[in-house]
Amino acid sequence: MTSGSAVKRDQHREEVVAAARKTHEDAARRRRLIRVVASILGVLVVAGVITAGLLSARPTQQVAVRAAPDFTLPGSDGSSVTLSALRGKPVLLYFSEGAGCDACLVQMQKIEQDPAFAAKGITVVPIVMNTADQINADRQRLEVRSAFYLDKGTVSQEYGVLGKGMHAGLPGHGFVLVDAAGQQVWAAEYPSMWLAPDQLLKEVASRI
């Protein structure tokens, strides 16, 4: 009897151990599965974020031709500009967020450093919704020579550029080409906040 009871106890102990081992192994498998699923979901989320970012950063262009709205704006250097006074040569309007956006000013810096724009007779007019003090502080810090022209929102509204960037009440990062006859012939927004000057010149030169 004693021997039989011992055998039964041993068998029971083995069954308990086996059951515990199986429970542990099942739990380990579940944890591995959860980690794999979480890893896959993480990859999908990252891929989704990257895809959304790429899509949102894609440039948008429009080539509908219309008479470019005329305007007169004061410059950050005390000068002023009137669009109609520039008739007879192509004018590239550059709208941006301006002060606080270093990429916006570096874009203008690189444009003014490229002699090909002047060689093509293209006048570049950078337009921002800042005060002179605001934009001049960044101009001086980033060594941008060109004056920026100060819009209170009217010109940006007329050219349909408000809210195209990160701020609803400011212009995005875009360009509008006005030909020598005063016609708007091309416009493009660049949410990436950058367009290489040679690529910009290629876009513009093909339309003047």
Side-chain angles (χ1 to χ4, degrees):
M1 292 294 293
T2 302
S3 178
S5 297
V7 169
K8 288 181 180 179
R9 284 196 301 272
D10 290 343
Q11 289 176 339
H12 179 68
R13 187 182 301 110
E14 290 175 358
E15 290 171 356
V16 170
V17 170
R21 183 180 299 114
K22 185 175 185 304
T23 300
H24 177 74
E25 291 173 349
D26 289 345
R29 279 195 293 271
R30 283 195 297 271
R31 287 194 295 271
R32 286 196 296 272
L33 180 60
I34 289 170
R35 284 197 296 269
V36 170
V37 171
S39 178
I40 292 171
L41 289 174
V43 169
L44 291 175
V45 168
V46 170
V49 169
I50 291 173
T51 299
L54 289 173
L55 290 174
S56 65
R58 290 173 62 182
T60 58
Q61 301 191 38
Q62 63 94 0
V63 293
V65 176
R66 65 163 181 163
D70 196 17
F71 60 81
T72 298
L73 289 175
S76 60
D77 61 353
S79 65
S80 67
V81 65
T82 298
L83 180 62
S84 57
L86 301 176
R87 195 74 51 83
K89 53 187 176 183
V91 178
L92 183 64
L93 308 179
Y94 167 42
F95 292 92
S96 74
E97 295 175 6
C101 173
D102 283 9
C104 300
L105 278 86
V106 170
Q107 176 81 81
M108 189 61 213
Q109 179 196 67
K110 297 307 179 185
I111 290 171
E112 69 187 14
Q113 289 174 355
D114 189 336
F117 286 88
K120 292 280 187 182
I122 300 165
T123 299
V124 182
V125 177
I127 299 173
V128 293
M129 289 176 58
N130 301 133
T131 66
D133 287 344
Q134 288 170 337
I135 195 65
N136 283 339
D138 283 359
R139 283 179 60 221
Q140 292 167 9
R141 178 171 57 85
L142 296 169
E143 299 182 347
V144 181
R145 298 191 309 273
S146 302
F148 280 64
Y149 293 91
L150 313 175
D151 177 26
K152 292 184 178 179
T154 304
V155 176
S156 297
Q157 182 70 44
E158 287 181 331
Y159 280 89
V161 299
L162 290 179
K164 296 296 181 67
M166 294 184 291
H167 305 285
L170 293 176
H173 192 103
F175 301 92
V176 175
L177 177 62
V178 180
D179 69 11
Q183 297 292 303
Q184 177 181 324
V185 296
W186 174 75
E189 289 288 336
Y190 293 87
S192 64
M193 310 297 283
W194 172 254
L195 179 61
D198 60 336
Q199 291 300 311
L200 175 60
L201 186 62
K202 183 178 179 181
E203 291 282 4
V204 171
S206 68
R207 294 174 169 87
I208 59 175

